[in-house]
Amino acid sequence: MTVLEQRGAYRPSPPPAWQPRMDPAPLLPDAEPYRVLGTEAAGEADPDLLRRLHAQLVRGRRYNTQATALTKQGRLAVYPSSTGQEACEVAAALALEERDWLFPSYRDTLAVVARGVDPVAALTLLRGDWHHGYDPHEHRVAPLSTPLATQLPHAVGLAHAARLKGDDVVALAMVGDGGTSEGDFHEALNFAAVWQAPVVFLVQNNGFAISVPLAKQTAAPSLAHKAVGYGMPGRLVDGNDAAAVHEVLADAVRHARAGGGPTLVEAVTYRIDAHTNADDATRYRGDAEIEAWRAHDPVQLLERELTGRGLLDEAAIEAARQDAEEMAADLRERMNRDPEPHPMDLFDHVYAGTTSQLREQRALLRAELEAEHERHGEPEGGAR
Amino acid sequence: MTTVAVKPATMAQALTRAMRDAMAADPTVHVLGEDVGTLGGVFRVTDGLAKEFGEDRCTDTPLAEAGILGTAVGMAMYGLRPVVEMQFDAFAYPALEQLISHVSRMRNRTRGRVPLPITVRVPYGGGIGGVEHHSDSSEAYYMATPGLHVLTPATVADAYGMLRQAIASDDPVVFLEPKRLYWSKDTWNPEQPTEVEPVGRAVVRRPGTSATLLTYGPSLPVCLEAAEAARAEGWDLEVLDLRSLVPFDDETVCAAVRRTGRAVVVHESTGFGGPGGEIAARVTERCFHHLEAPVLRVAGFDIPYPPPMLERHHLPGVDRVLDAVARLQWEAEG
Ligand SMILES: Cc1ncc(C[n+]2csc(CCOP(=O)(O)OP(=O)(O)O)c2C)c(N)n1
Ligand SMILES: [Mg+2]
């Protein structure tokens, strides 16, 4: 007889009941990326929406080539191109209502522009005359975020705050495949699910994080599967199919707005250009892969679908091109003017007020500028 | 005017009261952190807030410091005024990226269009017998990040007044709470809490003429004790409580040092790369011709924070402060 039995204190019983907290099956993504173009579903899509998407894709492609050209000319310090990813960029912007918020990464200036932000202001960070150009409140677009995935918890907090205030605002946050390995990705998804915050996470899986392919990034069945662990639905979509990305995102936005909580969307796409102009992609990938993806080009896919269905004629395509050229010409013209960043601005907006230390440093810089002015004649924005 | 009984209150109670009053006065003030709701925080500083204001205003978050501060950024972007509790100094480190890369820079990046009025409360410092990771003095990390205010109260009244200021500030504030003073008591009337002078000003806690001790937070009581003990040696020490490390009150500090001509900086944080180096340099640059001796530092050793059974050897105590005062070249004077 054991000591416990002698005392009669211990009566073995089965463990207290354990229940799964929810059925994971409805959260699981489809086995294949969801597609609309080239399938029956295309017939049910709203032709006006498809035409709007097309015009934006044409514009978006032109925007990417123009920004890349400006970088080669030294007008931008760096440009992370979204060539090949225009469907995701454009659909993200168009899936939102006016009152919603967009949280972009450095790759997503096109989404920012498609949301209505002036392209020159969207490119301020990449031109380098300031860290950021536009008023985030004007179009409800957060600043482009460079530290990977750090913008995701911001989107969750904003959506949570909106819900607490009783506003039916949704936040859509964008991140790359590499960014999903960051701790902030995990924390943001977990907070969003626990709080049932109205957030949509859009992961653009473009195959690479600079040079590192997805296989070295994750062992998950798909990035969309990660959603299940947080208790939110994961959706897998063809990221080059603008109609599909828009439909999936718009569904997720509706779901979030209705109080259904967050969704994780993985859009499978491909980065046609190098990581940035400063990157040499030949060191880590071959032309065959790029050519295969060029054959699945987002602009061509939609254009072929629309013309095939008689929903878009040559005149409409020409009009879209014309509009894109005008945008590019305007961008070129304005980006070719030298920006005039004012050195004295450096001390503004560090704090709401100032400090005695910053006052002293301000005076030092002003004196340096005045001395420079005396030597060279021209003040470098030092007049203020 | 009726006189209200002035009862002894602890610093922890004053901090609680500050949050309570701020939440009552401003519905955009939200408290969030680990265990801050039902439990009232591991130090009970948020005690009663969830009960009074509901869990939407005082929220137990998932356990993730970057997530807490990161979501606070989004909340602030939408017009709320988050007050974030980090459970302990060393557990605030996961949030450093959010703090450094976004919280401190968002106003500057957006040219003032997106201010982030976030208060990050961090219990800090040693002397409570804590095991590893519970006693760090992390102020130098925060001080090295432009865009943040770094405040630390040392008295019960300041705990209230400065936390109210921090919450009301339109800038992000790292509010360092000296955890070994949480239970320090003072006669302080919670019904008529005192407001403190403008944020960012140091204050003389003990006037004196021989030398100035420049200190803050957990080291203030040590310096006051040292000043008492120094009377026996014939020194009349002035004790200055910095209260705000950023912005730094050069004016008050230099006025004090110019009066006495001698200064010792006292803090728990490591000496090498610690706040004392910056403070000593500033004082020397500005008060050189008034100085009778080099500005000395009394600091924690340059070691990882020691285990509790050895921490008394690490923490600057009265003797170490007095030894430094003794080295202020008194002989040369006469
Ligand atoms: C926290 C952090 N670490 C490293 C970097 C440097 N970096 C910039 S982009 C990038 C790759 C990101 O890949 P992915 O998330 O897939 O986005 P993509 O560039 O493909 O759009 C890296 C490593 C960074 N910006 N932030
Ligand atoms: Mg990528």
Side-chain angles (χ1 to χ4, degrees):
Chain A
M1 217 187 213
T2 68
V3 178
L4 280 172
E5 281 165 342
Q6 274 172 355
R7 277 211 231 123
Y10 182 73
R11 261 180 224 98
S13 69
W18 180 87
Q19 297 268 314
R21 302 179 63 206
M22 63 169 73
D23 175 9
L27 306 179
L28 281 164
D30 295 343
E32 299 256 318
Y34 175 68
R35 293 179 59 198
V36 169
L37 302 178
T39 75
E40 304 240 309
E44 285 150 44
D46 171 10
D48 280 338
L49 171 67
L50 296 185
R51 279 191 287 259
R52 269 173 62 217
L53 283 168
H54 174 263
Q56 286 289 337
L57 287 186
V58 171
R59 214 178 138 92
R61 175 60 52 83
R62 187 67 189 90
Y63 168 83
N64 270 319
T65 54
Q66 185 58 66
T68 301
L70 285 165
T71 311
K72 288 187 181 133
Q73 292 154 19
R75 284 295 176 184
L76 291 174
V78 64
Y79 183 64
S81 163
S82 58
T83 297
Q85 301 177 224
E86 290 91 346
C88 295
E89 298 285 316
V90 161
L94 269 57
L96 294 175
E97 302 287 335
E98 280 263 313
R99 60 188 179 285
D100 295 333
W101 273 78
L102 181 73
F103 285 78
S105 81
Y106 53 87
R107 174 112 25 231
D108 305 315
T109 53
L110 175 54
V112 172
V113 170
R115 177 106 173 119
V117 172
D118 173 26
V120 174
L123 288 167
T124 299
L125 167 77
L126 302 168
R127 174 153 74 169
D129 47 312
W130 199 256
H131 298 309
H132 173 83
Y134 50 90
D135 180 354
H137 292 285
E138 188 184 348
H139 294 280
R140 285 152 305 282
V141 179
L144 303 167
S145 177
T146 305
L148 298 171
T150 55
Q151 71 278 17
L152 305 181
H154 303 173
V156 177
L158 183 135
H160 178 61
R163 195 152 153 267
L164 290 178
K165 284 191 175 182
D167 300 342
D168 67 341
V169 165
V170 176
L172 190 154
M174 304 175 76
V175 67
D177 47 300
T180 65
S181 300
E182 292 281 0
D184 276 11
F185 174 83
H186 158 70
E187 297 191 17
L189 267 74
N190 190 48
F191 271 66
V194 171
W195 286 349
Q196 286 294 285
V199 190
V200 178
F201 299 99
L202 170 59
V203 179
Q204 289 187 69
N205 172 5
N206 64 3
F208 292 93
I210 308 186
S211 66
V212 179
L214 190 65
K216 291 186 187 173
Q217 208 66 250
T218 181
S222 76
L223 295 173
H225 275 86
K226 294 193 174 203
V228 183
Y230 299 102
M232 73 173 79
R235 301 288 310 269
L236 189 59
V237 62
D238 180 341
N240 287 16
D241 179 336
V245 183
H246 185 276
E247 184 188 318
V248 168
L249 289 179
D251 278 352
V253 167
R254 250 192 312 277
H255 183 70
R257 202 184 309 284
T263 302
L264 172 65
V265 177
E266 174 186 358
V268 183
T269 180
Y270 192 78
R271 197 194 73 209
I272 294 290
D273 290 339
H275 171 64
T276 66
N277 52 294
D279 175 38
D280 174 9
T282 63
R283 292 177 72 98
Y284 54 84
R285 67 180 191 186
D287 287 343
E289 184 179 302
I290 304 172
E291 286 317 311
W293 277 96
R294 277 193 203 280
H296 192 61
D297 179 79
V299 190
Q300 295 297 326
L301 275 183
L302 184 56
E303 201 162 296
R304 199 157 333 134
E305 179 81 40
L306 285 171
T307 48
R309 288 182 184 268
L311 296 172
L312 196 72
D313 56 17
E314 260 316 307
I317 295 173
E318 192 43 44
R321 286 199 190 125
Q322 196 52 44
D323 167 67
E325 281 311 320
E326 279 165 26
M327 178 274 304
D330 173 65
L331 184 58
R332 229 175 13 247
E333 202 265 314
R334 288 195 291 147
M335 292 299 280
N336 277 325
R337 278 183 238 148
D338 286 333
E340 287 184 10
H342 292 280
M344 297 313 293
D345 288 0
L346 289 173
F347 302 100
D348 295 341
H349 312 303
V350 180
Y351 300 101
T354 187
T355 66
S356 63
Q357 290 76 30
L358 291 184
R359 262 195 300 274
E360 287 173 13
Q361 291 162 29
R362 204 170 200 281
L364 174 77
L365 181 60
R366 187 194 298 278
E368 284 179 3
L369 291 170
E370 279 163 9
E372 214 168 77
H373 175 44
E374 281 188 10
R375 280 196 305 275
H376 302 112
E378 265 304 287
E380 200 204 318
R384 295 207 274 160
Chain B
M1 213 170 98
T2 52
T3 46
V4 188
V6 179
K7 283 181 292 189
T10 65
M11 180 180 282
Q13 286 166 338
L15 292 165
T16 309
R17 180 72 194 207
M19 279 183 279
R20 196 226 145 255
D21 289 356
M23 291 173 88
D26 179 353
T28 67
V29 175
H30 283 242
V31 170
L32 56 159
E34 295 157 8
D35 301 291
V36 298
T38 310
L39 183 67
V42 294
F43 292 107
R44 306 293 183 269
V45 176
T46 57
D47 194 25
L49 299 180
K51 206 164 176 201
E52 182 171 354
F53 297 100
E55 298 209 355
D56 281 348
R57 297 280 306 282
C58 180
T59 308
D60 280 331
T61 65
L63 226 168
E65 294 75 15
I68 296 168
L69 189 54
T71 51
V73 169
M75 291 167 75
M77 286 177 79
Y78 205 77
L80 299 185
R81 212 167 258 278
V83 180
V84 162
E85 176 173 303
M86 293 289 152
Q87 205 156 64
F88 278 87
D89 31 56
F91 307 137
Y93 301 147
L96 281 182
E97 186 188 23
Q98 284 291 338
L99 193 75
I100 295 168
S101 295
H102 292 298
V103 174
S104 71
R105 295 167 195 233
M106 190 66 88
R107 170 187 290 282
N108 182 252
R109 176 187 295 148
T110 61
R111 291 182 183 271
R113 287 162 177 146
V114 183
L116 293 179
I118 299 173
T119 303
V120 185
R121 295 182 36 243
V122 186
Y124 84 117
I128 61 156
V131 296
E132 196 184 7
H133 310 298
H134 293 78
S135 301
D136 285 9
S137 289
S138 37
E139 56 267 35
Y141 305 138
Y142 303 115
M143 287 173 69
T145 304
L148 304 175
H149 288 291
V150 183
L151 306 184
T152 178
T155 68
V156 174
D158 266 8
Y160 178 88
M162 289 170 63
L163 185 53
R164 288 298 304 269
Q165 283 179 342
I167 296 170
S169 168
D170 287 334
D171 285 318
V173 178
V174 176
F175 194 83
L176 297 167
E177 300 173 359
K179 64 173 96 75
R180 75 169 133 130
L181 300 185
Y182 269 154
W183 306 281
S184 66
K185 282 194 177 175
D186 208 344
T187 46
W188 176 74
N189 179 5
E191 300 312 316
Q192 288 178 338
T194 41
E195 297 295 331
V196 298
E197 301 89 279
V199 72
R201 299 315 294 253
V203 65
V204 175
R205 293 288 179 207
R206 183 191 194 281
T209 53
S210 315
T212 304
L213 302 181
L214 300 168
T215 191
Y216 56 86
S219 297
L220 177 66
V222 176
C223 288
L224 290 172
E225 203 186 322
E228 277 310 304
R231 286 169 52 182
E233 313 282 333
W235 292 312
D236 177 22
L237 299 183
E238 179 180 50
V239 178
L240 202 112
D241 176 3
L242 294 169
R243 304 202 288 190
S244 170
L245 298 174
V246 182
F248 189 80
D249 187 358
D250 283 314
E251 193 186 335
T252 305
V253 168
C254 289
V257 176
R258 286 191 190 117
R259 275 195 303 273
T260 60
R262 290 179 168 85
V264 179
V265 190
V266 183
H267 60 54
E268 283 185 21
S269 175
T270 52
F272 191 90
E278 175 62 33
I279 296 167
R282 304 189 74 77
V283 169
T284 307
E285 283 167 357
R286 276 145 225 268
C287 312
F288 185 72
H289 294 292
H290 296 79
L291 286 175
E292 307 287 345
V295 179
L296 297 182
R297 287 173 291 162
V298 175
F301 295 132
D302 298 329
I303 57 173
Y305 196 87
M309 294 178 79
L310 295 173
E311 69 178 332
R312 72 182 180 84
H313 302 290
H314 172 74
L315 293 170
V318 170
D319 287 346
R320 213 174 280 162
V321 174
L322 292 177
D323 283 350
V325 172
R327 285 188 283 122
L328 290 172
Q329 303 190 1
W330 302 97
E331 312 77 28
E333 200 184 31

